[in-house]
Every structure is written in C-alpha cells, then in structure tokens.
Amino acid sequence: MSFTRREFTRQSALTGAGIALTGTVGALATAPGALAADDARHGHGHGDDDHGHGHGHGHDRELGYGPLLPDPKGILALPAGFSYRILTHSGVTKLETGEPTPSNHDGTAAFEGPRGVTLLVNNHELSGTRAGWAYPVPLTEGLVYDPVAAGGCTVVETRRDGRTAEWVGIAGTSTNCAGGSTPWGTWLTCEETEDKAGKNGLLKDHGYVFEVDPYDKRANRDPRPIKAFGRYAHEAVVIDPKRGHAYLTEDASGPNGLLYRWVPPHGFEHGRGKLRTLADDAGVLQATKCFDKKGAFVDDLSRATKIGTVYGVDWVDVPDRDAKTVSVRKQFTDGQVTRARKLEGMWWGDGGAYFVSSFARDESPVAHDGQVWFYDPKRRTITLKVLLGVNPDASVDGALDGPDNITVSPYGGIVISEDGEGIQHLFGATDSGRTYPIARNELNAGTEADPSYSEMTGVTFSPDGKTLFANIQTPGIMLAITGPWKRQPNKR
C-alpha cells in the first residue's frame, strides 16, 4: 500500500515535531573535525607486540579509547591497548589452492563457524578483465560466472589459534564493491557496474547481485545472478528479516543513483539457495520517492541540512529492471523519484536499514561530505542520522569525509569506514551523537611529500563482538582488531 504525502503530513501534525524517530543512533557528527579525540603522535610507546599499541589507559566513562598511536609497522594506528593481526594480504598470503590472495578488498561480513571459527566473505573490487590486474580472483572450476572478469569473493576462515585459510567463493564477476549478509547466513555480493557483454572485454552482462554461501562450497557452484534485484551499479543490500523485502543502494551519477526496494512475490519464502531459483522478473523492484512533512516532493537527499530531518517514503515501480536499453535510474524523469550521490554501504539493525550517501558536490542541490540515513519500514520514513559538512582540508587529521561501509556496533552506535580525501579512518559514533576514532590507515602508497592513503572498507564485527574486522582496500589487506572494547557513554 502506498504511503501518501497526505498520510505523512497528517502524522507529522499529530506528533508536533514530526514522526517519532526510532533506531539506536541519534544525531551524530555534523561537521568536519567531529572526532572526539585528537590524534597524538607523541608520548605513548608501543608494547612488546609489533602490532600492539601500548597498554590500556583512561577512565571507563571516557568517550572512545584515547588517541591513536603511530604504528612502527606503518599499517594501522590504534588506541593504546589495541592490536591488529593481518589475516590476508594481496600477493603475499595464499589461497588453499596455492594462488595469491586477490587484491582490492572491499565489503565483508562475518559468520559464526563451528568450534570458535569465524568465516568472512570478502569482496574484491576488480573491474574489467583479468589482464588488467596482477592478482585477480582465481578461476576456480565450477565457481565462474564470466571467465574474463577479474572480480569475485573469497571466503576467509580464521581460528582462535591464529590459523587462517582462504578459498574462492565466486569468480568471474566484476567490481564487487559492497553487499550484505542475509538472515539465513549467506552473503549477497554486489557488482558496481553496468557493463554489458562486449563492453570492456567482458563476455556476459554485469551489474547484478550474486549469493555466496560461506558454509557450503557446493552451493556456490554454477553462479547465477539474481536478476530479480535488477541490473545497475549495485553497492549494498540488506534483507528485512520480518517482511522479506530487500533494500539496495546504487552508486552512480549522471543522474544520481537511487535507493531501491525489492518486494518478493506472494508466497515466496527466503532461505539458502532460494534467491537463485527466482524468475528474472519475480517480485517488484521499486525506487524511492520522498516528501517532507508539508507534503512537498524531495528531489535529492542532499536537500536535508539538519540532523533529525524526516522524510516520508513512497515506492515507484521500475519499468525495466534489467536495463535492456536504458539504465534503470535514467528510466525516471524529474519529479518521479528521489536521488542521492554515491549511495554506498548499508546495514540492517534496530528494525530498519542504515544507508550511506558518501558525498555531494556540484551534481547535487547541496554539497556535503557524508550522510547516514535510517529507513524505518514500519513508519515508511527515512531519518538523517549523520551529516558531515564539506571538509575544508582533507590533509589535516581529525576531519571526517566520505563515509562508506557501515556496521551497527554491539557496543552501541555505529562504526563507519572512511573513503574520502586524504587521511582515512575507522570511527565510531555513540547513540547520543559523539564520535571517536578507532583506527587510522598509515600505509602510505604515495611519497613523504605527497602521501596517499587507500580507503578503509569491510568494517564488521565478529559474531561474539570481540573482534572488529576491516580492510585497507589497496593493495588489499584484511585486518582483525582486538582490544578493550566497551559500551560508550551516551552523555553529550
């Protein structure tokens, strides 16, 4: 049933200040420099562990974990008391079959295995053909979609004793950016491309979502795209465990991308391997159309300039989800849908979907350096939770820009990986709105005079909440971060 502008306006009037907000994350960072603790590059030595960062310090009720300490290894700065371990490293570590770990680590999810094992599915964002990359995803027999495409996923098994194994989950896909875990314990990997067969040397159409089972290698044989979810520059996806709807982001411009919802066909029941059985046109794919509390249409999410902004949401059917002749987002005229630049990471939590718009510039009505929104499917509203103003100097540590992958923290609030300009972080945000640094990428891919730092990706907690996994995308390093995690104080 459509949620009309009239219904939204009526509810807004009844609640006075607007529809009541839900979710655990309140108003978060609103401007550059919102990190609560400045980086300290002096006065703190490292412990005996080469990858460790001193000893725990500070009072339990202090926000965050203290300043970030430089890493002698030049990989990852962490607070005192925290340490990291490298699980995979492109071109250095090996798969079970002997090939080197592929490069360009991106979206990741963690799954609970037997006897303390954690399984991670790791995207490798490799575009175009294999010839263009030193370490593409190996073409494992039976797991290949397009034999010339470079991307795919690997599955990483990490044990309590430190042993790690890695194998291919899917190969022959393209530009595997983010994705999402399912309530039934699989990974949905998203192709962030619209390349069709014959373009950029590819043999098959791309721009789809594929399902990868971390537990059963046989279930991944003969990869089949989930065409019901549409063909476009997919970024991330979440599944509503109650209603069965899928929500998907599109990272595209010219025009800006869309937030989508897929409604399953009547009688469809989710489960392992069920998505690949769907007909190409199964269910209904829809795009968002938002309006404010006065009933006015909102053309672009960058229009929201205040934390707590609430928009009502309606859904508009996609005419041709496979984009046979026209890209999906271009099938709508102005006034039909609500757009946003660089719709990126998603995570299901607190009864709804968190999703990110990384930045907006001249292509959008209002410039910003990052938004995080929360979609409430019960109220059919989206609420602005995070707003980062334009970063005036990305070379100065402490400022935030370009949120990308996101996860809900077991310690409250959210954790975000940064894909902006200049210095790149992992940072947390409390329920009450304060932010704090967790890690900083120190792997300089440039020079001392002109440093360059790759984005951080794939932020996700282990099932027991004791380990935070994250990646340095280039060259491709998966890290396991441990330390004295704690619930953060909620006072402003």
Side-chain angles (χ1 to χ4, degrees):
M1 180 179 68
S2 295
F3 187 45
T4 66
R5 287 189 287 271
R6 182 176 299 173
E7 289 171 328
F8 179 67
T9 303
R10 184 186 304 118
Q11 288 193 34
S12 297
L14 289 173
T15 57
I19 289 179
L21 309 185
T22 61
T24 62
V25 181
L28 302 179
T30 59
L35 287 173
D38 291 334
D39 170 26
R41 294 180 178 272
H42 56 82
H44 298 279
H46 285 259
D48 294 334
D49 185 348
D50 284 341
H51 302 333
H53 289 68
H55 302 283
H57 64 88
H59 302 291
D60 287 344
R61 302 311 296 164
E62 290 179 351
L63 178 66
Y65 302 99
L68 303 180
L69 309 181
D71 179 10
K73 296 284 187 179
I75 302 293
L76 195 71
L78 290 169
F82 282 78
S83 62
Y84 68 86
R85 183 165 63 94
I86 293 176
L87 300 183
T88 68
H89 188 161
S90 176
V92 178
T93 55
K94 303 288 186 181
L95 306 185
E96 286 185 333
T97 46
E99 300 97 338
T101 293
S103 63
N104 292 62
H105 296 28
D106 210 294
T108 307
F111 303 86
E112 185 175 7
R115 297 179 295 279
V117 167
T118 297
L119 297 169
L120 300 116
V121 185
N122 184 207
N123 279 358
H124 297 276
E125 191 181 18
L126 300 164
S127 61
T129 62
R130 305 175 60 77
W133 300 95
Y135 303 112
V137 177
L139 297 177
T140 301
E141 183 180 359
L143 302 179
V144 180
Y145 171 65
D146 183 340
V148 301
C153 298
T154 53
V155 181
V156 179
E157 177 187 87
T158 178
R159 298 177 177 271
R160 288 175 178 171
D161 61 8
R163 288 182 296 163
T164 299
E166 184 178 18
W167 59 87
V168 172
I170 188 173
T173 51
S174 178
T175 325
N176 298 70
C177 197
S181 59
T182 68
W184 52 92
T186 61
W187 171 250
L188 299 176
T189 182
C190 294
E191 292 187 306
E192 189 192 331
T193 181
E194 297 180 67
D195 286 352
K196 301 184 75 172
K199 186 175 182 180
N200 293 325
L202 299 174
L203 300 180
K204 291 187 176 183
D205 289 352
H206 291 266
Y208 294 114
V209 178
F210 295 79
E211 186 171 22
V212 177
D213 192 326
Y215 299 99
D216 186 355
K217 297 179 182 179
R218 295 171 299 177
N220 298 325
R221 296 186 66 82
D222 187 24
R224 178 178 176 180
I226 306 168
K227 292 190 175 182
F229 285 0
R231 194 184 69 80
Y232 47 89
H234 286 273
E235 176 71 28
V237 56
V238 296
I239 304 292
D240 181 339
K242 182 178 180 180
R243 300 165 184 84
H245 297 165
Y247 297 94
L248 309 102
T249 51
E250 179 183 30
D251 183 1
S253 60
N256 285 344
L258 302 172
L259 173 68
Y260 297 95
R261 179 180 74 171
W262 177 77
V263 179
H266 180 72
F268 177 76
E269 294 185 3
H270 281 291
R272 268 188 160 75
K274 294 293 185 64
L275 290 173
R276 64 183 291 149
T277 68
L278 288 167
D280 293 350
D281 61 351
V284 180
L285 185 66
Q286 303 169 313
T288 49
K289 183 176 184 178
C290 297
F291 42 91
D292 64 21
K293 63 182 179 182
K294 294 181 179 180
F297 168 68
V298 179
D299 62 338
D300 194 283
L301 293 184
S302 69
R303 297 283 186 188
T305 58
K306 292 183 179 180
I307 294 295
T309 296
V310 181
Y311 292 146
V313 176
D314 208 348
W315 296 96
V316 183
D317 291 357
V318 170
D320 172 22
R321 74 182 81 184
D322 204 47
K324 292 179 177 62
T325 57
V326 179
S327 297
V328 172
R329 71 185 183 282
K330 296 179 181 179
Q331 295 171 26
F332 298 98
T333 60
D334 292 344
Q336 287 186 300
V337 290
T338 300
R339 302 184 184 276
R341 180 68 195 275
K342 284 196 71 66
L343 289 169
E344 298 263 12
M346 302 187 81
W347 199 269
W348 184 269
D350 308 316
Y354 292 93
F355 66 96
V356 170
S357 171
S358 282
F359 67 81
R361 288 295 185 271
D362 292 344
E363 79 293 323
S364 304
V366 181
H368 63 74
D369 258 337
Q371 297 176 327
V372 178
W373 292 86
F374 178 79
Y375 175 69
D376 184 339
K378 184 177 181 180
R379 297 180 180 274
R380 285 172 289 175
T381 60
I382 60 171
T383 302
L384 183 60
K385 298 292 188 177
V386 179
L387 176 61
L388 301 177
V390 175
N391 187 351
D393 188 352
S395 66
V396 177
D397 196 13
L400 300 174
D401 60 272
D404 196 325
N405 291 169
I406 185 173
T407 190
V408 174
S409 171
Y411 303 95
I414 55 178
V415 176
I416 299 171
S417 58
E418 204 174 0
D419 176 18
E421 300 295 330
I423 300 169
Q424 308 294 328
H425 300 90
L426 301 176
F427 67 95
T430 69
D431 297 350
S432 61
R434 294 185 294 171
T435 58
Y436 55 94
I438 295 175
R440 180 184 62 244
N441 177 12
E442 294 204 323
L443 185 60
N444 183 4
T447 64
E448 184 175 354
D450 185 20
S452 176
Y453 300 95
S454 169
E455 66 178 283
M456 302 290 294
T457 66
V459 60
T460 186
F461 276 93
S462 61
D464 63 8
K466 295 180 179 179
T467 303
L468 179 65
F469 300 101
N471 308 311
I472 298 174
Q473 186 179 66
T474 306
I477 299 175
M478 178 181 283
L479 304 159
I481 303 168
T482 54
W485 303 109
K486 65 179 181 180
R487 182 165 292 276
Q488 298 298 320
N490 290 325
K491 295 180 180 180
R492 292 187 179 275

